[in-house]
Amino acid sequence: MARRIEVTGAGGVRLAAWEFADPAKEGTGAGAGGVLLLHGLMGRAAHWASTARGLSGRYRAVALDQRGHGQSAQPPLEACTREAYVEDAEAALEQLALAPAVLVGHAMGALTAWQLAARRPDLVRGVVICDMRASALGAASQAEWADWFRSWPLPFATLADVRRWFAEDDPRLERPDPARGAFYAEVMHESADGWRPLFDPDRMLRTRESWVHDAHWDELTQVRCPTLVVRGLDGELGRAEAQEMVRVLPDGHYAEIPDAGHVPHYDQPGAWQGVLDQFLGELGTP
């Protein structure tokens, strides 16, 4: 069972996290090293449940609900900055005594991970980047996201409707994707009029605004610890860009997961866990 813990983030924002291992138990704790799991935009710590359980026998695994997500506090729009997200992860490592830790990030969480590793190398001994681009995405991408949020048929009548829409009816889909439906079902909650997201779409857009216009290659060059770039073959991170990211990283490594898209830990959890285990095994203990 996961244990809920509290972290005080940048500006005093209350953050919720879940620890999937008891550091007092044999085989876990500081001797085995800490792993901080950072979800992507619109995600939540629960998205890492399977991954964290797979790690908890050997590592102290903690999944963080980032600001504005899951059960963490909803800060003002102006507090949804890149700096704040990085400072929140830094606070989690320090307050939970996880460092030197491995940071495992999906999408936005991966960007947070490598920015923190560049900024505080003393806290980070390894990074896993899952399906996050280093290139600038630009204004057109942001406008597409705003249109996409407006296309959501809120409120959903049932959780089954959530799964079906994101797996079959979402206009972004090229083909049915049940794993995607399950992924989005995790970020919905039942309200008085139906099922709605745990997050505020405007807050998500403001959060995304803080990184889409900038490229992040220079920060990659500053990450000195071993870093694994993972992509699903049908994900948003293309092979050429992923391999260029590995090239510019001082200690970059690369892995592909077949039959997986943007969320390989949902699409192919066994293959994802295998890739992660191999990387962590090669890192050894701190």
Side-chain angles (χ1 to χ4, degrees):
M1 294 292 291
R3 178 175 69 95
R4 177 173 170 150
I5 47 183
E6 297 286 331
V7 174
T8 302
V13 171
R14 177 193 56 78
L15 304 173
W18 279 260
E19 184 168 357
F20 288 80
D22 182 350
K25 290 183 180 178
E26 184 178 358
T28 64
V35 177
L36 182 65
L37 298 138
L38 300 169
H39 61 74
L41 187 72
M42 303 180 292
R44 63 183 304 187
H47 281 151
W48 291 118
S50 176
T51 298
R53 291 189 187 104
L55 297 173
S56 62
R58 295 156 293 151
Y59 304 94
R60 188 178 170 209
V62 176
L64 180 69
D65 270 343
Q66 296 174 80
R67 60 177 51 214
H69 294 76
Q71 295 185 31
S72 289
Q74 303 282 328
L77 291 180
E78 60 270 19
C80 297
T81 65
R82 268 288 82 215
E83 182 74 9
Y85 277 89
V86 175
E87 289 181 3
D88 288 347
E90 181 180 6
L93 292 182
E94 293 181 330
Q95 292 172 32
L96 302 178
L98 286 172
V102 177
L103 303 181
V104 178
H106 172 243
M108 176 192 73
L111 176 59
T112 299
W114 87 63
Q115 289 180 326
L116 178 55
R119 168 177 167 168
R120 290 292 307 272
D122 57 310
L123 298 180
V124 183
R125 70 185 190 93
V127 175
V128 178
I129 297 170
C130 180
D131 215 64
M132 180 62 186
R133 301 183 62 184
S135 298
L137 301 178
S141 171
Q142 189 71 351
E144 289 172 3
W145 270 68
D147 290 342
W148 178 57
F149 276 129
R150 284 191 289 268
S151 76
W152 291 20
L154 296 174
F156 292 95
T158 67
L159 201 54
D161 290 335
V162 173
R163 293 190 183 95
R164 183 169 53 254
W165 194 83
F166 286 101
E168 301 175 13
D169 301 332
D170 187 336
R172 288 186 166 199
L173 285 173
E174 295 181 0
R175 59 182 180 273
D177 188 348
R180 190 172 181 269
F183 186 90
Y184 280 98
E186 286 277 0
V187 297
M188 297 289 166
H189 71 111
E190 192 171 16
S191 57
D193 60 350
W195 291 83
R196 293 181 177 274
L198 287 165
F199 52 80
D200 170 32
D202 288 340
R203 192 173 278 106
M204 297 299 98
L205 285 172
R206 178 64 66 91
T207 294
R208 195 172 185 273
E209 182 79 21
S210 69
W211 86 71
V212 295
H213 301 292
D214 301 315
H216 303 282
W217 295 97
D218 287 346
E219 293 154 306
L220 282 176
T221 67
Q222 299 168 38
V223 179
R224 299 293 167 181
C225 62
T227 301
L228 176 66
V229 178
V230 184
R231 63 178 292 268
L233 289 186
D234 296 318
E236 297 179 9
L237 176 61
R239 180 181 283 121
E241 182 170 354
Q243 292 178 341
E244 180 64 10
M245 290 168 67
V246 172
R247 189 190 69 79
V248 304
L249 282 159
D251 192 358
H253 306 261
Y254 179 67
E256 290 184 345
I257 299 181
D259 300 318
H262 181 55
V263 287
H265 46 307
Y266 264 61
D267 291 326
Q268 297 293 335
W272 159 257
Q273 194 76 44
V275 164
L276 186 57
D277 286 346
Q278 180 177 344
F279 178 70
L280 290 172
E282 292 170 353
L283 276 181
T285 56

